[in-house]
Amino acid sequence: MKKHRVLKTLGMILAAVLLFFVVINLIPPKKNVEENPFLVEDGELPMIAAHRGGGVSNPENTMLAFREAVKTYRVDIIESDLYLTSDGYLVYNHDAYIDETCNVNGDISLEEVEALCEDEEKRHYIKDMTLEELRQYNFGYYFEDENGVRIYRDETDLEGKGLQIATVEQLFEEFYESHPELLFIVEIKNDGERGFEACKLLYKTLEKYPRYMDRIVVGTFHDEIEEELKTKYPSLYRGAPTGSAASFVITQMLGVNLFDSGDFACLQIPTSYDVGITIELDKKTYVDRAHKRNIAVQYWTINDEETMRELIELGCDCIMTDDPALLGRVLESYRK
């Protein structure tokens, strides 16, 4: 009799737990944002985001790359990272230093530059340089075409060819009238006070180009910059910081998505995380659950056709790639 009561009690507990999980997954989740321009409609193909402007076909983060991405490859989104110069300009570059993308060290090989950059004190950091100083260098210097030829090595008309470092305002101005539908993904790389200043400058620049105000999503890896964006610039769409992205993924894995409190507009993730064990993120359940909350799912950085096709089948909203020409061809094959 006692054993029967114990089993009955355990059964009731298990039933209650099961009911709890069923209920919290049936309750409609609160939308993170009401309107999200980074979402595609059900059944539509994902957007193309040119990662750093598309470094396979053109020198990354240059106006040449951005122009080609938009006008030739017809990308939907330009993606890049932002740094603040010493005199208060926001420029596009992947790293905090410029040595590996331009001829700041003179005529030496990229291998020599990489060896030099192992010593952090020998790097040329954007935060220590003015925009005028940065613009004297050729940011296509180490770019190689498909034949391995450095086709811009001896270029002297840097401004005319679009091979100087590019500013935020320069990019907005370039496309504001001709491509008002263009979207932007940016990451503020500076932390602390310089990061706060970068947020302020980005917002002030957007005020000059108001149609882009709700066509940009801003991300950061720094907690204080994330808080700055949330509190002082709440009208801007935000990408999920690392902690929020991890929380979203974990709550979805455990089936307790009701308890995720993230308020971001875009979930920008790789296809997997390696945290001692590999967590696969290229799953339709993550995409579907994100969509229920009006969150756009954007995968990075995808440069092979097989993975592109897998993500297209998942119904994701955006694929970030260094090779927008390849992704464009893949998407075209679906349209046909």
Side-chain angles (χ1 to χ4, degrees), residues 16 45 54 59 67 77 102 111 123 127 158-159 168 184 187-188 194 219 222 231 268 275 280 290 317 330:
L45 294 170
R67 288 167 183 156
I77 307 172
C102 74
E111 290 73 19
R123 298 173 181 174
K127 66 181 178 63
L158 302 182
E159 182 178 4
V168 163
F184 303 88
E187 181 183 330
I188 293 178
R194 293 187 65 80
H222 307 296
T231 56
Q268 297 154 340
V275 288
E280 302 296 339
D317 300 282
V330 173

Side-chain angles (χ1 to χ4, degrees), residues 63 67 71 92 135 167-179 182 184 205 208-209 211-212:
M63 287 305 301
R67 288 167 183 156
K71 296 177 180 179
Y92 292 102
R135 279 184 166 166
T167 68
V168 163
E169 183 157 7
Q170 187 180 7
L171 181 59
F172 290 168
E173 183 179 8
E174 177 79 21
F175 298 112
Y176 192 64
E177 296 299 333
S178 62
H179 294 79
L182 191 61
F184 303 88
T205 305
K208 299 179 184 178
Y209 303 91
R211 290 200 300 270
Y212 283 162

